[in-house]
Amino acid sequence: MRKTEENIFKFLMILSTIIISSTLFLILYTIFSRGVGSLSWNMISKIPEGGFYIGKGGGILNAIIGSVYITFGSTLLGLLVSIPIVIYINVYAKKNSLLANITRLSYDILFGIPSIVYGAFGFAIMVYMGLKTSLLAGIITVTLMIIPILVRAIDEVVRVVPEDMSNSVYSLGGTRYETAKILLRQSIPGIITAILLSFGRAIGDAACVLFTAGFTDSIPTSLDQPAATLPLSIFFQLSSPIQEVQNRAYAAATILTIIVLIISIAAKIASKNLSKNII
């Protein structure tokens, strides 16, 4: 009986692995097979010309640059906010204190809120303050969206670090600040994974930036100008009835996928190299 149960669960695990791997392969195949043929140097090096979304010339450089600005800006800003929160609830607050538990519960709830809600919230604040869509508004709104991801992911990693390590620091006369540095150093691989999760969420979101960053055919030169993003560019092109424009959408999706793959590979390499110095 036990052998039968083991074989059943083994089969289910193998089947699940095959399904997930096949799904990933199918997604990549669909995107690349339809997008590679429409890729060109002009597409990634030029901004849209008049009538680009009805089949005329130009490219999506504006969306590429806009996505890079918003994604890197929000990820950096999110880290600056998230790490102090994690350090406080794990080092400075009492273990399993009410404040720490409420903080974790709050971020669990925020984690599950759809991005469209963050976009609507950001838009409401902008209307109240009399602001217009801009790169800065997009960065701030996306930052609010990814902070729960960063906080909960980094928090889980820090909590996995053996408590004996913190006790050892205290026994040697170390301060809480020094303990925090040790915990962060031991958590670097997990922090990089958290950054990847937030990066993927930020660069692939369309609803959140639609209300706050807007869309433009130009490359923003300041924080108060609207910014285009790749997800919105893909959406607008897929909405076109013209086949050529739809193929460009898949080309844009190919570029977006390549960016994510490059960042993921670079992060994995960095994580592997940094892990050599971890106990």
Side-chain angles (χ1 to χ4, degrees):
M1 182 65 180
R2 294 174 61 184
K3 187 68 174 178
T4 302
E5 290 179 351
E6 181 179 350
N7 290 333
I8 291 174
F9 279 105
K10 183 178 180 180
F11 170 77
L12 291 175
M13 287 186 289
I14 294 174
L15 180 62
S16 299
T17 302
I18 293 174
I19 291 174
I20 296 299
S21 301
S22 300
T23 302
L24 175 61
F25 174 78
L26 183 60
I27 292 173
L28 293 177
Y29 174 77
T30 302
I31 292 173
F32 283 100
S33 62
R34 299 191 61 175
V36 171
S38 298
L39 278 177
S40 65
W41 177 248
N42 286 338
M43 187 170 185
I44 62 177
S45 63
K46 292 185 177 181
I47 62 175
E49 298 176 0
F52 175 76
Y53 294 99
I54 57 174
K56 295 186 178 180
I60 57 171
L61 180 62
N62 60 319
I64 296 174
I65 298 298
S67 288
V68 170
Y69 283 166
I70 290 177
T71 304
F72 280 94
S74 60
T75 303
L76 178 60
L77 190 58
L79 274 176
L80 293 176
V81 175
S82 302
I83 290 180
I85 294 173
V86 173
I87 291 302
Y88 178 78
I89 61 179
N90 283 280
V91 178
Y92 289 89
K94 293 182 179 180
K95 187 177 180 180
N96 295 323
S97 65
L98 180 62
L99 177 60
N101 290 332
I102 290 177
T103 301
R104 291 188 175 101
L105 176 61
S106 299
Y107 282 104
D108 283 339
I109 296 172
L110 291 172
F111 183 88
I113 294 178
S115 61
I116 189 71
V117 176
Y118 284 100
F121 172 75
F123 181 73
I125 297 298
M126 289 165 57
V127 171
Y128 177 77
M129 299 181 65
L131 302 176
K132 62 179 181 179
T133 55
S134 64
L135 175 61
L136 178 61
I139 290 175
I140 293 175
T141 307
V142 174
T143 299
L144 293 176
M145 182 183 68
I146 66 173
I147 282 177
I149 301 174
L150 287 168
V151 169
R152 293 304 287 128
I154 298 175
D155 178 47
E156 291 299 326
V157 173
V158 170
R159 294 173 72 183
V160 170
V161 177
E163 190 174 353
D164 291 343
M165 187 167 293
S166 299
N167 294 334
S168 298
V169 177
Y170 291 134
S171 66
L172 294 173
T175 63
R176 290 183 177 181
Y177 174 72
E178 291 170 330
T179 303
K181 290 197 297 183
I182 296 295
L183 290 177
L184 287 178
R185 182 178 177 182
Q186 296 299 314
S187 305
I188 286 177
I191 292 175
I192 292 177
T193 300
I195 293 173
L196 280 178
L197 289 173
S198 60
F199 182 90
R201 178 75 183 273
I203 199 171
D205 186 79
C208 187
V209 295
L210 176 62
F211 293 111
T212 54
F215 196 85
T216 177
D217 288 342
S218 303
I219 297 175
T221 56
S222 64
L223 290 173
D224 62 346
Q225 294 181 348
T229 56
L230 280 170
L232 285 179
S233 178
I234 294 169
F235 171 74
F236 292 143
Q237 292 178 87
L238 277 178
S239 302
S240 172
I242 303 173
Q243 186 62 44
E244 180 183 353
V245 179
Q246 292 181 8
N247 291 337
R248 288 178 180 174
Y250 284 100
T254 300
I255 295 172
L256 179 60
T257 304
I258 291 173
I259 292 174
V260 173
L261 289 175
I262 291 174
I263 296 298
S264 299
I265 293 172
K268 289 297 182 183
I269 294 174
S271 176
K272 183 178 181 180
N273 292 333
L274 292 171
S275 298
K276 296 178 181 178
N277 299 321
I278 295 176
I279 299 175

